[in-house]
Amino acid sequence: DPVSGQKFQKCLCGSKKHWNDSEECEMDKFDAMMAVLHAEAPKVSLRFYHVIVVDKHFEVFSRIWVMAEIAKGQELELSQHAMLFSGAAD
């Protein structure tokens, strides 16, 4: 974990894991899912917003999938809102 510095614990649930080289992997599909939601939302009278939650050290922007989501949101001309860390939850 880049925030805590601790090594991630391996999941022991026994379910089959789908890594990035698998078609069933979902970790590299956030931006594609945003496009699907953007296309489907008007069909059910919903407006799709993109909320970007920003941690106090702005480390969220070091994650490539977050940057891909932001870029996709801009490409789709979504209403994007950043929620900045305020310290109120500490």
Side-chain angles (χ1 to χ4, degrees), residues 20 22-35:
N20 288 346
S22 166
E23 284 292 319
E24 295 183 62
C25 176
E26 296 176 354
M27 297 206 33
D28 61 345
K29 297 177 177 60
F30 291 106
D31 52 337
M33 182 53 68
M34 288 178 65

Side-chain angles (χ1 to χ4, degrees), residues 14-85:
S15 296
K16 181 174 169 54
K17 307 301 184 258
H18 302 285
W19 306 110
N20 288 346
D21 59 349
S22 166
E23 284 292 319
E24 295 183 62
C25 176
E26 296 176 354
M27 297 206 33
D28 61 345
K29 297 177 177 60
F30 291 106
D31 52 337
M33 182 53 68
M34 288 178 65
V36 169
L37 291 171
H38 176 66
E40 294 298 318
K43 295 177 184 175
V44 291
S45 301
L46 296 175
R47 178 127 190 237
F48 185 59
Y49 293 90
H50 183 207
V51 177
I52 304 156
V53 179
V54 182
D55 60 283
K56 67 180 171 181
H57 298 293
F58 292 80
E59 291 177 1
V60 68
F61 297 112
S62 69
R63 294 176 173 92
I64 193 65
W65 64 87
V66 174
M67 300 310 294
E69 288 179 13
I70 293 170
K72 179 56 79 171
Q74 290 179 351
E75 177 187 319
L76 296 171
E77 299 180 355
L78 294 178
S79 180
Q80 293 178 309
H81 303 276
M83 302 295 291
L84 302 177
F85 177 83

